Amino acid sequence: LSAVLRVPTSEGAVFFKAPAGLPLFVDEGRVTQGLARLFPRNVPKPLAVERRRRWMLLDDVGPALGWEAPAEQRGMVLVTFGMMQVAAAREVDALLAMGCIDRRPAWLALELRLLLADDDALNGLEDEEIAKLRALEPLLVALCKRLGAGVIPDSIAHGDLHLGNVSRDGGAYVFFDWTDACVTHPFLDLIDVFREEDATTRDALRDAYLRAWADFGTHDQLLSVWRVAEPLSSLNQAVSYRYIASGVEPGTNQELEWAIPHWLRSVLAADVESLS
């Protein structure tokens, strides 16, 4: 999906990146430049950007925190990112102007219809699962409308928010790899929390993140929004992978065959009917 080269220099390593020209991928150099202006401590400023070819040169931001980071640190990262999203909610026009994709809940509802009508994309599912998803379509569309009309404003979403894309520079957490950057409901970005298997850890991470949004509602109100966002976050991932799988080189999409069935089964497992 991207070519990344590590280049040693006399002043330390730098990284060259050339992302694939996929439909939902942004001009990452331009977007990273814009986000670095908004969040200079939390987004690295590119050393150079070649706009015509969408090339970017980035300083070494240090090692990623990684998948095995302790839950306490994961919570601190989520608080930081939540605070960034709260601030960015006031900058939606600027986010769109710098090239973030507009993927707000109304867009997700439209993409749901296209996904469920795409037999090739649904090929990895059983007929019974496809029938159930298509029966759920009106409810899922209604949930998108509910999420978009709720107390939480649209904001920046990373699109691939996990600790493999976060490092630490002194006392600040640094977020990189913004190829999937978009404007949408911020809770849709928390797929890494929704899929946490340990319930105690999952609740602790959720509550840490929701503290950033305390000015927007009571904890019970935020939990209600969170429950609506959970199945839609999986749906959002399925939509992303539909575009990725359709845009990669011939012969490589089999590496992605797991993705759409996996995320749509997560939608089915979320007991969507209970949210109506």
Side-chain angles (χ1 to χ4, degrees), residues 6 13 15 59-67 69 73 77 162-170 172-176:
R6 182 181 185 275
F15 289 85
D59 204 356
D60 188 349
V61 296
L65 299 180
W67 298 94
Q73 188 172 52
V77 168
H162 57 75
L163 296 192
N165 289 329
V166 185
S167 63
R168 190 165 188 180
D169 181 10
Y173 291 108
V174 179
F175 300 83
F176 54 92

PDB file of all heavy atoms in Angstrom, residues 6 13 15 59-67 69 73 77 162-170 172-176:
ATOM      1  N   ARG A   6      14.076   3.661   4.461  1.00  0.00           N
ATOM      2  CA  ARG A   6      14.856   4.264   5.552  1.00  0.00           C
ATOM      3  C   ARG A   6      16.211   4.675   4.989  1.00  0.00           C
ATOM      4  O   ARG A   6      16.941   3.853   4.438  1.00  0.00           O
ATOM      5  CB  ARG A   6      15.028   3.274   6.701  1.00  0.00           C
ATOM      6  CG  ARG A   6      15.791   3.823   7.897  1.00  0.00           C
ATOM      7  CD  ARG A   6      15.928   2.745   8.971  1.00  0.00           C
ATOM      8  NE  ARG A   6      16.558   3.254  10.176  1.00  0.00           N
ATOM      9  CZ  ARG A   6      17.881   3.323  10.350  1.00  0.00           C
ATOM     10  NH1 ARG A   6      18.701   2.896   9.390  1.00  0.00           N
ATOM     11  NH2 ARG A   6      18.388   3.797  11.469  1.00  0.00           N
ATOM     12  N   ALA A  13      18.734   8.931  10.738  1.00  0.00           N
ATOM     13  CA  ALA A  13      17.911   8.370   9.669  1.00  0.00           C
ATOM     14  C   ALA A  13      16.744   9.283   9.328  1.00  0.00           C
ATOM     15  O   ALA A  13      16.197   9.979  10.190  1.00  0.00           O
ATOM     16  CB  ALA A  13      17.389   7.004  10.076  1.00  0.00           C
ATOM     17  N   PHE A  15      13.074   9.092   6.647  1.00  0.00           N
ATOM     18  CA  PHE A  15      12.207   8.109   5.984  1.00  0.00           C
ATOM     19  C   PHE A  15      11.520   8.751   4.787  1.00  0.00           C
ATOM     20  O   PHE A  15      10.906   9.809   4.898  1.00  0.00           O
ATOM     21  CB  PHE A  15      11.172   7.582   6.979  1.00  0.00           C
ATOM     22  CG  PHE A  15      11.757   6.680   8.021  1.00  0.00           C
ATOM     23  CD1 PHE A  15      12.334   7.207   9.170  1.00  0.00           C
ATOM     24  CD2 PHE A  15      11.773   5.300   7.849  1.00  0.00           C
ATOM     25  CE1 PHE A  15      12.905   6.386  10.128  1.00  0.00           C
ATOM     26  CE2 PHE A  15      12.331   4.468   8.797  1.00  0.00           C
ATOM     27  CZ  PHE A  15      12.906   5.012   9.944  1.00  0.00           C
ATOM     28  N   ASP A  59      11.423  13.018   9.192  1.00  0.00           N
ATOM     29  CA  ASP A  59      12.477  12.738  10.166  1.00  0.00           C
ATOM     30  C   ASP A  59      12.126  11.479  10.953  1.00  0.00           C
ATOM     31  O   ASP A  59      10.965  11.059  11.007  1.00  0.00           O
ATOM     32  CB  ASP A  59      12.616  13.928  11.117  1.00  0.00           C
ATOM     33  CG  ASP A  59      13.995  14.011  11.747  1.00  0.00           C
ATOM     34  OD1 ASP A  59      14.824  13.110  11.504  1.00  0.00           O
ATOM     35  OD2 ASP A  59      14.243  14.988  12.475  1.00  0.00           O
ATOM     36  N   ASP A  60      13.136  10.867  11.564  1.00  0.00           N
ATOM     37  CA  ASP A  60      12.911   9.695  12.414  1.00  0.00           C
ATOM     38  C   ASP A  60      12.148  10.126  13.659  1.00  0.00           C
ATOM     39  O   ASP A  60      12.630  10.965  14.428  1.00  0.00           O
ATOM     40  CB  ASP A  60      14.271   9.084  12.790  1.00  0.00           C
ATOM     41  CG  ASP A  60      14.146   7.753  13.498  1.00  0.00           C
ATOM     42  OD1 ASP A  60      13.008   7.390  13.880  1.00  0.00           O
ATOM     43  OD2 ASP A  60      15.165   7.081  13.686  1.00  0.00           O
ATOM     44  N   VAL A  61      10.963   9.586  13.847  1.00  0.00           N
ATOM     45  CA  VAL A  61      10.147   9.955  15.011  1.00  0.00           C
ATOM     46  C   VAL A  61      10.341   8.982  16.172  1.00  0.00           C
ATOM     47  O   VAL A  61       9.622   9.046  17.161  1.00  0.00           O
ATOM     48  CB  VAL A  61       8.643  10.033  14.636  1.00  0.00           C
ATOM     49  CG1 VAL A  61       8.412  11.149  13.630  1.00  0.00           C
ATOM     50  CG2 VAL A  61       8.143   8.698  14.104  1.00  0.00           C
ATOM     51  N   GLY A  62      11.311   8.098  16.037  1.00  0.00           N
ATOM     52  CA  GLY A  62      11.575   7.152  17.116  1.00  0.00           C
ATOM     53  C   GLY A  62      10.769   5.883  16.964  1.00  0.00           C
ATOM     54  O   GLY A  62       9.888   5.781  16.103  1.00  0.00           O
ATOM     55  N   PRO A  63      11.055   4.889  17.800  1.00  0.00           N
ATOM     56  CA  PRO A  63      10.363   3.602  17.680  1.00  0.00           C
ATOM     57  C   PRO A  63       8.887   3.711  18.028  1.00  0.00           C
ATOM     58  O   PRO A  63       8.494   4.489  18.907  1.00  0.00           O
ATOM     59  CB  PRO A  63      11.103   2.704  18.675  1.00  0.00           C
ATOM     60  CG  PRO A  63      11.703   3.656  19.668  1.00  0.00           C
ATOM     61  CD  PRO A  63      12.047   4.892  18.905  1.00  0.00           C
ATOM     62  N   ALA A  64       8.082   2.941  17.326  1.00  0.00           N
ATOM     63  CA  ALA A  64       6.653   2.884  17.655  1.00  0.00           C
ATOM     64  C   ALA A  64       6.461   2.264  19.034  1.00  0.00           C
ATOM     65  O   ALA A  64       7.256   1.423  19.473  1.00  0.00           O
ATOM     66  CB  ALA A  64       5.913   2.075  16.602  1.00  0.00           C
ATOM     67  N   LEU A  65       5.411   2.672  19.711  1.00  0.00           N
ATOM     68  CA  LEU A  65       5.107   2.093  21.019  1.00  0.00           C
ATOM     69  C   LEU A  65       4.839   0.601  20.894  1.00  0.00           C
ATOM     70  O   LEU A  65       5.208  -0.186  21.771  1.00  0.00           O
ATOM     71  CB  LEU A  65       3.899   2.798  21.648  1.00  0.00           C
ATOM     72  CG  LEU A  65       4.067   4.293  21.919  1.00  0.00           C
ATOM     73  CD1 LEU A  65       2.786   4.851  22.532  1.00  0.00           C
ATOM     74  CD2 LEU A  65       5.248   4.567  22.833  1.00  0.00           C
ATOM     75  N   GLY A  66       4.178   0.205  19.822  1.00  0.00           N
ATOM     76  CA  GLY A  66       3.990  -1.210  19.528  1.00  0.00           C
ATOM     77  C   GLY A  66       2.772  -1.829  20.184  1.00  0.00           C
ATOM     78  O   GLY A  66       2.172  -1.285  21.113  1.00  0.00           O
ATOM     79  N   TRP A  67       2.415  -2.994  19.683  1.00  0.00           N
ATOM     80  CA  TRP A  67       1.184  -3.671  20.086  1.00  0.00           C
ATOM     81  C   TRP A  67       1.197  -4.124  21.534  1.00  0.00           C
ATOM     82  O   TRP A  67       0.145  -4.324  22.138  1.00  0.00           O
ATOM     83  CB  TRP A  67       0.962  -4.886  19.182  1.00  0.00           C
ATOM     84  CG  TRP A  67       0.788  -4.524  17.741  1.00  0.00           C
ATOM     85  CD1 TRP A  67       1.768  -4.481  16.787  1.00  0.00           C
ATOM     86  CD2 TRP A  67      -0.419  -4.126  17.085  1.00  0.00           C
ATOM     87  NE1 TRP A  67       1.236  -4.090  15.572  1.00  0.00           N
ATOM     88  CE2 TRP A  67      -0.094  -3.876  15.726  1.00  0.00           C
ATOM     89  CE3 TRP A  67      -1.739  -3.981  17.510  1.00  0.00           C
ATOM     90  CZ2 TRP A  67      -1.044  -3.470  14.789  1.00  0.00           C
ATOM     91  CZ3 TRP A  67      -2.680  -3.576  16.566  1.00  0.00           C
ATOM     92  CH2 TRP A  67      -2.331  -3.331  15.248  1.00  0.00           C
ATOM     93  N   ALA A  69       2.325  -2.524  24.179  1.00  0.00           N
ATOM     94  CA  ALA A  69       2.389  -1.438  25.163  1.00  0.00           C
ATOM     95  C   ALA A  69       1.387  -1.691  26.286  1.00  0.00           C
ATOM     96  O   ALA A  69       0.292  -2.206  26.050  1.00  0.00           O
ATOM     97  CB  ALA A  69       2.092  -0.103  24.492  1.00  0.00           C
ATOM     98  N   GLN A  73      -0.417   2.965  29.346  1.00  0.00           N
ATOM     99  CA  GLN A  73       0.113   3.823  28.290  1.00  0.00           C
ATOM    100  C   GLN A  73      -0.879   3.939  27.137  1.00  0.00           C
ATOM    101  O   GLN A  73      -1.045   5.023  26.554  1.00  0.00           O
ATOM    102  CB  GLN A  73       1.444   3.285  27.783  1.00  0.00           C
ATOM    103  CG  GLN A  73       2.149   4.232  26.814  1.00  0.00           C
ATOM    104  CD  GLN A  73       3.545   3.778  26.481  1.00  0.00           C
ATOM    105  OE1 GLN A  73       3.756   2.638  26.088  1.00  0.00           O
ATOM    106  NE2 GLN A  73       4.511   4.678  26.631  1.00  0.00           N
ATOM    107  N   VAL A  77      -2.358   7.471  25.570  1.00  0.00           N
ATOM    108  CA  VAL A  77      -2.380   7.787  24.140  1.00  0.00           C
ATOM    109  C   VAL A  77      -3.793   8.180  23.709  1.00  0.00           C
ATOM    110  O   VAL A  77      -3.988   9.154  22.974  1.00  0.00           O
ATOM    111  CB  VAL A  77      -1.876   6.582  23.319  1.00  0.00           C
ATOM    112  CG1 VAL A  77      -2.162   6.773  21.829  1.00  0.00           C
ATOM    113  CG2 VAL A  77      -0.384   6.361  23.552  1.00  0.00           C
ATOM    114  N   HIS A 162      -3.580   2.730  15.867  1.00  0.00           N
ATOM    115  CA  HIS A 162      -3.075   1.705  16.781  1.00  0.00           C
ATOM    116  C   HIS A 162      -1.652   2.101  17.176  1.00  0.00           C
ATOM    117  O   HIS A 162      -1.066   3.038  16.608  1.00  0.00           O
ATOM    118  CB  HIS A 162      -3.122   0.318  16.146  1.00  0.00           C
ATOM    119  CG  HIS A 162      -2.365   0.205  14.863  1.00  0.00           C
ATOM    120  ND1 HIS A 162      -0.980   0.153  14.809  1.00  0.00           N
ATOM    121  CD2 HIS A 162      -2.788   0.137  13.569  1.00  0.00           C
ATOM    122  CE1 HIS A 162      -0.583   0.046  13.557  1.00  0.00           C
ATOM    123  NE2 HIS A 162      -1.658   0.043  12.780  1.00  0.00           N
ATOM    124  N   LEU A 163      -1.078   1.393  18.144  1.00  0.00           N
ATOM    125  CA  LEU A 163       0.190   1.836  18.707  1.00  0.00           C
ATOM    126  C   LEU A 163       1.386   1.521  17.825  1.00  0.00           C
ATOM    127  O   LEU A 163       2.516   1.873  18.160  1.00  0.00           O
ATOM    128  CB  LEU A 163       0.376   1.237  20.101  1.00  0.00           C
ATOM    129  CG  LEU A 163      -0.664   1.709  21.139  1.00  0.00           C
ATOM    130  CD1 LEU A 163      -0.259   1.307  22.539  1.00  0.00           C
ATOM    131  CD2 LEU A 163      -0.865   3.214  21.068  1.00  0.00           C
ATOM    132  N   GLY A 164       1.153   0.864  16.689  1.00  0.00           N
ATOM    133  CA  GLY A 164       2.200   0.760  15.693  1.00  0.00           C
ATOM    134  C   GLY A 164       2.394   2.050  14.917  1.00  0.00           C
ATOM    135  O   GLY A 164       3.379   2.202  14.190  1.00  0.00           O
ATOM    136  N   ASN A 165       1.462   3.004  15.081  1.00  0.00           N
ATOM    137  CA  ASN A 165       1.530   4.295  14.400  1.00  0.00           C
ATOM    138  C   ASN A 165       1.677   5.448  15.382  1.00  0.00           C
ATOM    139  O   ASN A 165       1.312   6.590  15.082  1.00  0.00           O
ATOM    140  CB  ASN A 165       0.276   4.504  13.543  1.00  0.00           C
ATOM    141  CG  ASN A 165       0.251   3.602  12.331  1.00  0.00           C
ATOM    142  OD1 ASN A 165       1.288   3.261  11.788  1.00  0.00           O
ATOM    143  ND2 ASN A 165      -0.943   3.208  11.908  1.00  0.00           N
ATOM    144  N   VAL A 166       2.200   5.130  16.568  1.00  0.00           N
ATOM    145  CA  VAL A 166       2.402   6.142  17.604  1.00  0.00           C
ATOM    146  C   VAL A 166       3.795   5.955  18.201  1.00  0.00           C
ATOM    147  O   VAL A 166       4.203   4.825  18.488  1.00  0.00           O
ATOM    148  CB  VAL A 166       1.347   6.031  18.733  1.00  0.00           C
ATOM    149  CG1 VAL A 166       1.508   7.191  19.733  1.00  0.00           C
ATOM    150  CG2 VAL A 166      -0.064   6.001  18.168  1.00  0.00           C
ATOM    151  N   SER A 167       4.509   7.053  18.383  1.00  0.00           N
ATOM    152  CA  SER A 167       5.790   7.018  19.083  1.00  0.00           C
ATOM    153  C   SER A 167       5.756   8.066  20.203  1.00  0.00           C
ATOM    154  O   SER A 167       4.741   8.745  20.385  1.00  0.00           O
ATOM    155  CB  SER A 167       6.954   7.294  18.121  1.00  0.00           C
ATOM    156  OG  SER A 167       6.857   8.600  17.586  1.00  0.00           O
ATOM    157  N   ARG A 168       6.863   8.170  20.917  1.00  0.00           N
ATOM    158  CA  ARG A 168       6.920   9.153  22.001  1.00  0.00           C
ATOM    159  C   ARG A 168       8.167  10.000  21.846  1.00  0.00           C
ATOM    160  O   ARG A 168       9.268   9.468  21.680  1.00  0.00           O
ATOM    161  CB  ARG A 168       6.915   8.467  23.364  1.00  0.00           C
ATOM    162  CG  ARG A 168       6.716   9.455  24.518  1.00  0.00           C
ATOM    163  CD  ARG A 168       6.364   8.770  25.803  1.00  0.00           C
ATOM    164  NE  ARG A 168       6.004   9.728  26.833  1.00  0.00           N
ATOM    165  CZ  ARG A 168       5.644   9.402  28.065  1.00  0.00           C
ATOM    166  NH1 ARG A 168       5.584   8.123  28.422  1.00  0.00           N
ATOM    167  NH2 ARG A 168       5.339  10.331  28.946  1.00  0.00           N
ATOM    168  N   ASP A 169       7.975  11.307  21.876  1.00  0.00           N
ATOM    169  CA  ASP A 169       9.076  12.259  21.766  1.00  0.00           C
ATOM    170  C   ASP A 169       9.094  13.085  23.032  1.00  0.00           C
ATOM    171  O   ASP A 169       8.290  14.007  23.192  1.00  0.00           O
ATOM    172  CB  ASP A 169       8.893  13.141  20.534  1.00  0.00           C
ATOM    173  CG  ASP A 169      10.032  14.129  20.355  1.00  0.00           C
ATOM    174  OD1 ASP A 169      11.043  14.006  21.061  1.00  0.00           O
ATOM    175  OD2 ASP A 169       9.918  15.023  19.496  1.00  0.00           O
ATOM    176  N   GLY A 170       9.989  12.730  23.958  1.00  0.00           N
ATOM    177  CA  GLY A 170       9.978  13.394  25.251  1.00  0.00           C
ATOM    178  C   GLY A 170       8.694  13.074  25.984  1.00  0.00           C
ATOM    179  O   GLY A 170       8.361  11.919  26.209  1.00  0.00           O
ATOM    180  N   ALA A 172       5.657  13.881  24.805  1.00  0.00           N
ATOM    181  CA  ALA A 172       4.513  13.964  23.890  1.00  0.00           C
ATOM    182  C   ALA A 172       4.378  12.684  23.069  1.00  0.00           C
ATOM    183  O   ALA A 172       5.378  12.085  22.652  1.00  0.00           O
ATOM    184  CB  ALA A 172       4.675  15.165  22.956  1.00  0.00           C
ATOM    185  N   TYR A 173       3.150  12.285  22.834  1.00  0.00           N
ATOM    186  CA  TYR A 173       2.888  11.175  21.923  1.00  0.00           C
ATOM    187  C   TYR A 173       2.774  11.734  20.504  1.00  0.00           C
ATOM    188  O   TYR A 173       2.116  12.756  20.277  1.00  0.00           O
ATOM    189  CB  TYR A 173       1.617  10.443  22.321  1.00  0.00           C
ATOM    190  CG  TYR A 173       1.776   9.687  23.621  1.00  0.00           C
ATOM    191  CD1 TYR A 173       1.165  10.123  24.798  1.00  0.00           C
ATOM    192  CD2 TYR A 173       2.579   8.546  23.685  1.00  0.00           C
ATOM    193  CE1 TYR A 173       1.329   9.435  25.982  1.00  0.00           C
ATOM    194  CE2 TYR A 173       2.752   7.856  24.867  1.00  0.00           C
ATOM    195  CZ  TYR A 173       2.133   8.306  26.022  1.00  0.00           C
ATOM    196  OH  TYR A 173       2.320   7.638  27.204  1.00  0.00           O
ATOM    197  N   VAL A 174       3.415  11.045  19.566  1.00  0.00           N
ATOM    198  CA  VAL A 174       3.487  11.504  18.183  1.00  0.00           C
ATOM    199  C   VAL A 174       2.766  10.498  17.294  1.00  0.00           C
ATOM    200  O   VAL A 174       3.071   9.300  17.323  1.00  0.00           O
ATOM    201  CB  VAL A 174       4.954  11.664  17.738  1.00  0.00           C
ATOM    202  CG1 VAL A 174       5.013  12.113  16.272  1.00  0.00           C
ATOM    203  CG2 VAL A 174       5.679  12.668  18.631  1.00  0.00           C
ATOM    204  N   PHE A 175       1.816  10.983  16.503  1.00  0.00           N
ATOM    205  CA  PHE A 175       0.981  10.145  15.640  1.00  0.00           C
ATOM    206  C   PHE A 175       1.443  10.318  14.195  1.00  0.00           C
ATOM    207  O   PHE A 175       1.543  11.440  13.695  1.00  0.00           O
ATOM    208  CB  PHE A 175      -0.485  10.534  15.777  1.00  0.00           C
ATOM    209  CG  PHE A 175      -1.007  10.376  17.186  1.00  0.00           C
ATOM    210  CD1 PHE A 175      -0.810  11.372  18.138  1.00  0.00           C
ATOM    211  CD2 PHE A 175      -1.691   9.225  17.562  1.00  0.00           C
ATOM    212  CE1 PHE A 175      -1.283  11.225  19.446  1.00  0.00           C
ATOM    213  CE2 PHE A 175      -2.168   9.071  18.858  1.00  0.00           C
ATOM    214  CZ  PHE A 175      -1.959  10.069  19.803  1.00  0.00           C
ATOM    215  N   PHE A 176       1.695   9.196  13.513  1.00  0.00           N
ATOM    216  CA  PHE A 176       2.157   9.254  12.134  1.00  0.00           C
ATOM    217  C   PHE A 176       1.370   8.255  11.283  1.00  0.00           C
ATOM    218  O   PHE A 176       0.482   7.576  11.780  1.00  0.00           O
ATOM    219  CB  PHE A 176       3.673   9.005  12.046  1.00  0.00           C
ATOM    220  CG  PHE A 176       4.136   7.731  12.714  1.00  0.00           C
ATOM    221  CD1 PHE A 176       4.231   6.549  12.008  1.00  0.00           C
ATOM    222  CD2 PHE A 176       4.497   7.728  14.059  1.00  0.00           C
ATOM    223  CE1 PHE A 176       4.661   5.380  12.618  1.00  0.00           C
ATOM    224  CE2 PHE A 176       4.938   6.562  14.684  1.00  0.00           C
ATOM    225  CZ  PHE A 176       5.008   5.379  13.963  1.00  0.00           C
TER     226      PHE A 176
END
